[in-house]
Amino acid sequence: MNASRASSSDEARHYRQLGHDAALLFALLIGVERDYQRDKRAKKDVVDLSGDVHSVKSGQKKWQIFLYGRNRFLNDDGFQALNGVGQLLVHCIDAFPPRFVDYVNNKDASKERLQVPMRELKDRLQRKALLRAFLRKSIFNGGEVDYLTILDDNKYHVFWSDDVILTMADNFEVVNSKARTTSQFDDQKVLFRYKGKNVGELEMRNDSQMHYGEVRFNMNKVPCMELLNESEFVVQTYSDEIVLFGQAIGKFGRW
């Protein structure tokens, strides 16, 4: 393994451990036992004492919402029910040859093919109802997760899922990426923007053989927190370490 690959893998493990540590600390703060079980596939980082589920985010720059391959989109009924969005994500993957080496030998051909499904995804997600459904599936696994809980400035900010979905869908401008240099291609990503800043980025992961042919959905922490903090939610301090927003005030901590 070369140095850059090793560095990237080490960094990924480091961030995964930080995420695990943040979830564990939150669990302990709300009285959950240390040996609680996480369900990574279903985004269930912490189940609180009332049985509600939290997706806990702690990254300083970005959060990975999902990183899925072809079979996930084909076999997950939630993605297949999104009025063609699941199939378009498969088309994004199928724009690339099965073997990484073949992609490396002719990257431009794949990037040209990718433009078509990326444009269609952008167009389809202009529909607010479909955008809400896509965000609910992506962030909260279609309603299996109740809260987005974000560690920021040494406090856990707890948001109810419906508040997050409505705020994002109402404020996002959904666009395609544009090339910045002559060697790049337009329409390689679907971007979710707020005030001209990229909050979410839906893209192909083709920078390494390890995750070749997978779709990644990232959120950028700073503009995401800016959006949530500017949404005029009622705010209530639950403890020195936990702050509740919006509907979370009437729901969280009732155990």
Side-chain angles (χ1 to χ4, degrees):
M1 181 181 293
N2 63 40
S4 62
R5 284 286 303 279
S7 176
S8 178
S9 297
D10 291 344
E11 187 176 82
R13 282 192 292 271
H14 172 69
Y15 283 119
R16 283 196 297 270
Q17 186 60 47
L18 289 177
H20 176 75
D21 292 345
L24 174 59
L25 177 57
F26 178 70
L28 296 175
L29 286 171
I30 61 176
V32 177
E33 297 295 330
R34 177 176 289 274
D35 60 350
Y36 74 99
Q37 298 297 310
R38 304 175 71 195
D39 186 342
K40 183 178 179 182
R41 180 181 174 88
K43 303 183 183 296
K44 296 180 179 180
D45 290 323
V46 175
V47 179
D48 66 30
L49 296 178
S50 65
D52 288 335
V53 180
H54 298 253
S55 176
V56 180
K57 301 298 183 186
S58 61
Q60 294 302 306
K61 294 182 179 180
K62 290 187 177 183
W63 308 316
Q64 182 172 283
I65 303 301
F66 66 66
L67 179 63
Y68 295 151
R70 195 173 191 276
N71 287 339
R72 179 63 185 260
F73 297 120
L74 287 174
N75 298 324
D76 190 319
D77 289 343
F79 280 109
Q80 285 297 310
L82 289 175
N83 193 28
V85 168
Q87 196 58 46
L88 284 172
L89 291 167
V90 173
H91 291 335
C92 289
I93 295 170
D94 289 348
F96 294 79
R99 299 195 311 163
F100 181 68
V101 65
D102 294 329
Y103 163 67
V104 171
N105 288 334
N106 189 2
K107 292 183 178 181
D108 287 359
S110 296
K111 292 178 179 181
E112 288 178 358
R113 288 192 294 267
L114 180 62
Q115 290 177 314
V116 175
M118 281 294 183
R119 289 166 183 159
E120 292 186 30
L121 276 170
K122 180 264 297 181
D123 291 341
R124 197 154 298 195
L125 291 174
Q126 302 304 313
R127 292 178 48 201
K128 292 297 186 181
L130 188 55
L131 177 57
R132 289 193 295 270
F134 171 74
L135 293 170
R136 187 175 299 280
K137 174 59 187 171
S138 301
I139 303 171
F140 300 104
N141 203 33
E144 291 189 17
V145 176
D146 303 290
Y147 296 97
L148 178 63
T149 298
I150 302 168
L151 178 59
D152 188 47
D153 291 335
N154 296 316
K155 292 182 183 291
Y156 289 90
H157 297 67
V158 182
F159 298 89
W160 184 247
S161 56
D162 287 348
D163 287 341
V164 174
I165 295 303
L166 291 174
T167 297
M168 288 183 174
D170 286 349
N171 287 280
F172 277 165
E173 176 191 12
V174 183
V175 300
N176 284 128
S177 60
K178 296 304 175 186
R180 295 184 177 181
T181 68
T182 56
S183 63
Q184 294 179 340
F185 286 78
D186 290 340
D187 308 327
Q188 297 298 291
K189 303 180 183 182
V190 173
L191 305 175
F192 304 85
R193 286 184 169 170
Y194 173 65
K195 291 187 173 180
K197 300 175 183 176
N198 295 343
V199 178
E201 301 175 352
L202 186 66
E203 61 184 345
M204 289 297 302
R205 178 78 187 272
N206 290 307
D207 53 323
S208 72
Q209 190 164 355
M210 181 181 299
H211 292 290
Y212 177 69
E214 295 181 334
V215 181
R216 176 171 58 189
F217 184 18
N218 279 342
M219 290 235 173
N220 295 309
K221 179 178 181 179
V222 172
C224 183
M225 291 302 296
E226 180 181 349
L227 169 58
L228 294 173
N229 287 329
E230 290 182 356
S231 296
E232 298 183 353
F233 293 125
V234 176
V235 182
Q236 183 179 98
T237 298
Y238 179 81
S239 68
D240 289 344
E241 302 91 358
I242 299 172
V243 182
L244 308 180
F245 293 79
Q247 293 187 69
I249 292 171
K251 300 178 184 296
F252 179 78
R254 296 191 172 189
W255 48 72

